[in-house]
Amino acid sequence: MKPAAYEWKLPDHSQLPEEFMALLKEHHISPLLGSIFWNRGLREDEDFISFLSPSLEQLHDPYLLFDMEKAVARIRKAIENEEAILIYGDYDADGITSTTVLYETLESLGASVEYYLPNRFKDGYGPNAKVYKEKIETGISLIITVDNGVSGHEAINVANQFGVDVIVTDHHELPKTLPNAYAIVHPRHPKGSYPFGDLAGVGVSFKLACALLEETPTEFLDLVAIGTVADMVSLTDENRAMVAIGIEYIKQTERMGLSELVKISGIKLVEFDESSIGFGVAPRLNAIGRLEDPTPAVKLLTTFDDKEAQSLSQLMESLNNKRKSLVEEITEEALASLDPNELIHIIVGKNWHEGVLGIVAGKIVSHTGHPAIVMTLKDGGIVKGSGRSVDSVNLYEVLNENRELFVSFGGHHAAVGVSLKEENISELKTKINHYMRDNKIEVKNNLQVDAEISLEDVSLAMIADLKKMAPFGMNNPFPRFLFQNVKITNCRTIGTQKQHLKFTLKNESGNIIEGIGFGFGSDSLEFQSQSTNVVGELSINEWNGNKKLQLQLKDYQIKGFQLFDLRTKNNQSSIRLSEDILFISFSDQTMKKWEKKTKHTIVFCQDVELFKKEQMTNKYQAVLFLDCPTDREEIREIVQFLNSSRVYLVCQSLDEAYLDGMGSREQYGKLFKFIAAQDRIDIRYKLTMVADYLKIPKKLLIFMIQVFFNLGFVTIEDGILTSVKNPENHLLSESDIYQMRKKKIRSEEFLLLSDLPTIKEWLTA
């Protein structure tokens, strides 16, 4: 069996109220879509209207944000007095778009303004005291942070000492003590009462722009959409409205840089949607901040020069490709050093690129289902990196309990950035894992499933209906569906690293849907099973004008016994090293060969009864047979003893008995005559020559000589074979070795030449 990677959360199957069904009919909403609405809390007429028709009227008054009036008054005063203003941004897509929104706003108001995006390698995250001081010395008298600042106590205190006001606009997790800023504009400010607390940094920046301009500057909604989707905040309430409208503005964008970035991402503007941001635009904006100085990203979004736009977009593309390579390389190293006993994985490497560690941490979470913090060792004995979490673990709170161990620390529920001294790593590991156990925090990664349906329920019209729920994102994910007892066929790996899967989904009625599983390449062997439960998202794959239904795999589950075919060399490379598999060999020669190739436990099984006594526990749910026993029943006996639900068959045959057979009467006769004609034969050195002369395969020749020795026809001493004069007559079948090979051939023929269903039926009988 193969358990699901996530804990599937299916909705209540209770019947929907009649009045709700009537409401669906009034709004021309299908019962399936209506059930999804109901389960997501959309149950009233006004819910339907606001959800299905996002509009500017849904945006909240910016002055409801705490300190907004104070911030606006101070900025206007600075503009009137021609003070030099600094926008201090952040190096990710949210920070880049936040900076651009406020920069263009202040420029349009005639402000003397410049922006500074910190370099993560030189300045670190958030306000930097040294940078503040340098900028103040150049004449800056007002600093406005965007997408950062609530944890910038030191830098803000430095600004205060110089008599420079700092206005913080941020959305990150609030520390217990807020910095001594002139104003803090934050949707979850403890003294505020803003009706929606999940704005992205660009959302807060946009709200400040609205207040300063005394109108809703819709020309910025393209940037708001990008930053909001990129930062993975809740796509509900006004975020939904701003993203939905912003996407429409992107389709008609006049920003040269954005247009070039979309083009180089391989996206058609007319087809632009939220996934175009998540998988196209945002990764490229993020890449520059991960690897270099992010300042060119703001230039890209603000330029009016088409050549500069092309040049900068090409820079983003090349950096994004470099980022991908780094992530693949570091992820592989990080996975190899995992400790399975940790509830929160803390992984430290040397010379890992600091800028991509957050992505790597996310991949570790996907692979293990546990929170992960991935760090790299810096000069001076400091380790620095990023963490990602799962639904059930607030990583910020867990780490905040041990704040004294960190040099710097910040973030929110799902993502953190940290740095600490190398000597504190061991203590941090111990304390956070104790904290998890002491507080009985269960590591659960939930996957919300919207409905269980059949393949015959899926149609192009149904998928088009689902798109009414767009834009999709946090708190409004694309609907996921469960398909029970389906078969996955035509499964093949694709991608440069064979990291993805293409397959066909089929049910007993013959209904078929094409499928793709991004990142599921290593799972290809799992789908040799007859029946699978699959959770996925449905879409329409269009190519050359042809539209086909497609399922994007999110998770799967296989119940019952599984048998994996690793009898070919290609399949042997697919063994999942992360699984606790017991390797079993029936030959010490095979065992020695594999001991150099694997870190798994290998057991030499010379006798099944002895094996049972030595295996004190049957903890191995997965067992792999490296070769074939003389009697195939030994495999079935071991599987039943271990109660293994996952069995891998390699079944190598080093002597290739089933290929060479027992040897013919003619071959034995030729060998007998040849030996009788010789005084002695040095089989240590001349065996190959003899095999070539007699035209008998070398491995078969070795066996035939063993039979002759067993029957007393020859003697062998120190590698010298001598014929016995006038030996007793014996039939070949009287040899124990002959009979064992005959039995082994039957075993090998069955185990190596039978199809998987036949062997599976035999094993489970």
Side-chain angles (χ1 to χ4, degrees):
M1 64 175 292
K2 172 71 171 64
Y6 296 88
E7 188 169 328
W8 298 350
K9 297 293 184 183
L10 276 84
D12 182 7
H13 292 290
S14 58
Q15 192 170 356
L16 298 175
E18 288 184 15
E19 57 271 24
F20 181 76
M21 295 299 290
L23 198 59
L24 294 181
K25 193 172 183 181
E26 181 184 331
H27 286 275
H28 307 288
I29 297 170
S30 68
L32 176 61
L33 191 57
S35 68
I36 297 172
F37 277 18
W38 177 270
N39 291 315
R40 295 191 183 184
L42 300 169
R43 302 180 178 184
E44 305 295 337
D45 189 62
E46 54 268 28
D47 295 333
F48 286 9
I49 293 170
S50 63
F51 188 83
L52 294 171
S53 304
S55 68
L56 294 176
E57 284 70 35
Q58 294 168 22
L59 304 190
H60 303 300
D61 182 350
Y63 282 101
L64 294 175
L65 284 158
F66 186 79
D67 268 354
M68 181 61 84
E69 285 188 27
K70 191 176 180 183
V72 169
R74 179 65 184 88
I75 294 169
R76 284 181 175 156
K77 179 185 175 185
I79 295 171
E80 289 169 10
N81 295 337
E82 298 183 350
E83 295 180 53
I85 303 172
L86 173 70
I87 301 170
Y88 191 93
D90 191 19
Y91 41 65
D92 66 0
D94 189 16
I96 290 164
T97 51
S98 301
T99 301
T100 307
V101 166
L102 193 56
Y103 177 69
E104 291 188 348
T105 298
L106 294 179
E107 257 203 335
S108 71
L109 292 170
S112 172
V113 59
E114 62 179 275
Y115 57 84
Y116 185 90
L117 272 64
N119 182 309
R120 73 160 71 214
F121 311 105
K122 181 167 65 78
D123 305 320
Y125 170 76
N128 180 290
K130 183 182 176 185
V131 174
Y132 273 28
K133 184 174 181 294
E134 289 173 354
K135 289 295 182 180
I136 290 168
E137 287 173 349
T138 66
I140 293 294
S141 60
L142 175 64
I143 298 172
I144 308 171
T145 73
V146 291
D147 193 34
N148 73 92
V150 290
S151 296
H153 297 73
E154 181 190 358
I156 291 171
N157 286 338
V158 166
N160 290 336
Q161 289 169 12
F162 283 92
V164 171
D165 294 328
V166 179
I167 294 172
V168 170
T169 74
D170 200 357
H171 74 118
H172 288 97
E173 201 79 33
L174 291 161
K176 290 178 181 178
T177 305
L178 294 175
N180 187 25
Y182 180 85
I184 298 178
V185 181
H186 192 295
R188 292 188 303 279
H189 194 289
K191 294 181 181 178
S193 55
Y194 193 70
F196 182 64
D198 288 316
L199 290 173
V202 71
V204 182
S205 188
F206 179 71
K207 289 294 173 178
L208 179 56
C210 291
L212 286 167
L213 296 169
E214 298 180 342
E215 62 179 5
T216 302
T218 54
E219 67 272 18
F220 295 141
L221 287 174
D222 54 355
L223 302 175
V224 175
I226 292 168
T228 300
V229 171
D231 221 50
M232 299 180 70
V233 292
S234 176
L235 275 197
T236 57
D237 202 278
E238 64 179 339
N239 276 352
R240 176 177 173 78
M242 290 190 292
V243 170
I245 298 168
I247 286 172
E248 295 306 310
Y249 274 87
I250 291 173
K251 291 178 181 179
Q252 307 163 49
T253 185
E254 294 182 359
R255 293 182 185 274
M256 292 180 178
L258 180 54
S259 180
E260 288 295 329
L261 195 60
V262 170
K263 187 190 297 182
I264 208 166
S265 302
I267 302 164
K268 296 177 182 177
L269 274 174
V270 292
E271 298 173 355
F272 197 94
D273 61 13
E274 67 281 2
S275 66
S276 305
I277 297 173
F279 297 102
V281 173
R284 286 163 175 80
L285 287 177
N286 280 325
I288 189 167
R290 292 184 183 282
L291 305 182
E292 292 185 1
D293 183 344
T295 303
V298 178
K299 291 180 181 177
L300 174 72
L301 296 177
T302 57
T303 187
F304 291 101
D305 184 326
D306 57 349
K307 289 185 179 178
E308 184 178 42
Q310 289 174 8
S311 173
L312 289 172
S313 64
Q314 287 165 2
L315 171 65
M316 306 292 172
E317 179 69 8
S318 78
L319 289 172
N320 191 49
N321 289 332
K322 181 180 178 182
R323 186 268 307 169
K324 288 178 185 177
S325 299
L326 287 168
V327 167
E328 287 178 7
E329 179 184 323
I330 297 171
T331 299
E332 188 176 340
E333 291 181 36
L335 286 172
S337 63
L338 285 177
D339 180 350
N341 298 314
E342 291 180 350
L343 293 174
I344 295 179
H345 295 298
I346 295 181
I347 308 161
V348 181
K350 290 183 179 179
N351 301 316
W352 287 352
H353 198 291
E354 179 189 328
V356 300
L357 298 185
I359 303 175
V360 175
K363 289 187 175 291
I364 301 298
V365 173
S366 297
H367 186 86
T368 66
H370 284 252
I373 302 168
V374 181
M375 298 180 285
T376 186
L377 181 60
K378 308 284 287 182
D379 293 337
I382 297 291
V383 290
K384 190 174 182 181
S386 297
R388 297 292 183 267
S389 195
V390 297
D391 299 338
S392 62
V393 180
N394 186 324
L395 193 55
Y396 180 88
E397 283 187 1
V398 173
L399 297 184
N400 197 42
E401 291 295 316
N402 299 284
R403 183 178 278 271
E404 72 282 356
L405 294 176
F406 297 100
V407 174
S408 64
F409 159 69
H412 49 80
H413 179 115
V416 295
V418 300
S419 64
L420 67 157
K421 293 180 180 177
E422 185 181 10
E423 65 245 33
N424 288 341
I425 294 172
S426 178
E427 186 178 358
L428 178 64
K429 285 185 177 184
T430 302
K431 283 190 172 182
I432 63 173
N433 282 285
H434 280 168
Y435 178 85
M436 293 283 289
R437 292 186 174 96
D438 293 346
N439 289 276
K440 298 179 180 177
I441 300 174
E442 291 186 53
V443 178
K444 290 181 181 178
N445 217 356
N446 297 328
L447 185 68
Q448 193 65 45
V449 180
D450 292 278
E452 179 186 340
I453 60 175
S454 301
L455 290 183
E456 50 260 40
D457 297 328
V458 183
S459 66
L460 294 173
M462 169 205 166
I463 297 173
D465 196 38
L466 294 176
K467 288 188 176 179
K468 292 176 182 177
M469 298 182 65
F472 299 103
M474 294 293 290
N475 300 123
N476 183 44
F478 199 97
R480 301 185 187 104
F481 299 103
L482 169 62
F483 298 90
Q484 298 249 40
N485 301 318
V486 292
K487 187 175 181 181
I488 291 182
T489 61
N490 303 324
C491 189
R492 68 184 191 278
T493 55
I494 60 171
T496 53
Q497 304 294 321
K498 303 293 184 185
Q499 69 270 45
H500 310 307
L501 281 185
K502 282 279 285 184
F503 55 88
T504 301
L505 212 60
K506 185 178 181 181
N507 65 6
E508 291 181 355
S509 303
N511 299 93
I512 289 175
I513 292 180
E514 290 184 353
I516 188 161
F518 294 110
F520 283 89
S522 61
D523 293 56
S524 58
L525 284 175
E526 300 289 347
F527 303 120
Q528 294 177 348
S529 300
Q530 297 297 303
S531 183
T532 309
N533 297 334
V534 166
V535 172
E537 297 175 0
L538 296 166
S539 61
I540 298 171
N541 185 20
E542 188 168 354
W543 179 254
N544 287 337
N546 296 319
K547 293 182 178 181
K548 287 187 178 181
L549 301 170
Q550 180 175 268
L551 176 132
Q552 185 178 331
L553 183 64
K554 292 299 176 184
D555 199 10
Y556 67 94
Q557 173 193 72
I558 300 171
K559 294 182 178 179
F561 181 82
Q562 285 180 271
L563 183 65
F564 301 98
D565 191 352
L566 298 177
R567 294 175 293 180
T568 64
K569 288 184 178 179
N570 285 342
N571 282 350
Q572 286 168 21
S573 63
S574 301
I575 298 173
R576 296 184 67 181
L577 298 178
S578 60
E579 187 173 11
D580 193 10
I581 308 175
L582 177 64
F583 281 40
I584 295 176
S585 175
F586 300 98
S587 157
D588 59 347
Q589 188 180 356
T590 306
M591 186 176 76
K592 288 173 184 175
K593 176 184 174 183
W594 277 80
E595 278 177 337
K596 300 174 183 177
K597 295 168 64 174
T598 182
K599 295 179 181 178
H600 288 82
T601 301
I602 303 179
V603 173
F604 174 41
C605 180
Q606 195 169 15
D607 179 88
V608 174
E609 293 306 317
L610 184 61
F611 169 84
K612 290 179 183 179
K613 290 178 183 177
E614 291 175 347
Q615 292 296 314
M616 293 179 287
T617 64
N618 53 357
K619 67 173 183 175
Y620 289 99
Q621 290 301 300
V623 59
L624 183 148
F625 293 99
L626 290 169
D627 47 21
C628 300
T630 301
D631 184 351
R632 72 184 190 191
E633 286 299 324
E634 292 180 34
I635 284 184
R636 181 158 64 176
E637 198 173 337
I638 290 171
V639 169
Q640 291 175 352
F641 168 73
L642 293 175
N643 195 27
S644 301
S645 60
R646 294 165 63 81
V647 175
Y648 295 80
L649 295 180
V650 173
C651 293
Q652 285 186 339
S653 174
L654 295 183
D655 59 6
E656 297 179 328
Y658 76 105
L659 290 176
D660 292 335
M662 300 294 296
S664 66
R665 179 181 293 273
E666 180 187 1
Q667 287 172 321
Y668 281 104
K670 285 170 65 177
L671 176 61
F672 191 84
K673 287 179 182 178
F674 179 80
I675 292 172
Q678 310 293 321
D679 276 341
R680 44 196 279 148
I681 303 170
D682 189 341
I683 56 176
R684 292 172 300 181
Y685 305 111
K686 296 189 177 181
L687 193 64
T688 301
M689 293 172 59
V690 173
D692 291 342
Y693 176 76
L694 295 175
K695 294 183 171 54
I696 297 173
K698 184 177 178 180
K699 291 179 181 178
L700 176 59
L701 178 62
I702 293 170
F703 161 69
M704 292 168 65
I705 291 172
Q706 289 172 336
V707 171
F708 279 6
F709 178 79
N710 187 229
L711 294 174
F713 295 168
V714 298
T715 61
I716 301 174
E717 188 173 344
D718 294 331
I720 305 299
L721 182 148
T722 308
S723 64
V724 174
K725 305 300 180 184
N726 302 316
E728 290 185 23
N729 288 328
H730 289 288
L731 296 173
L732 295 175
S733 58
E734 292 180 48
S735 165
D736 294 338
I737 291 174
Y738 189 92
Q739 291 299 333
M740 283 178 64
R741 183 176 176 94
K742 198 171 184 179
K743 198 172 185 180
K744 188 172 185 183
I745 287 174
R746 289 197 297 268
S747 173
E748 289 183 353
E749 284 178 340
F750 176 78
L751 293 170
L752 288 168
L753 303 180
S754 299
D755 60 23
L756 221 55
T758 300
I759 299 176
K760 185 176 180 180
E761 185 179 353
W762 166 73
L763 276 174
T764 55

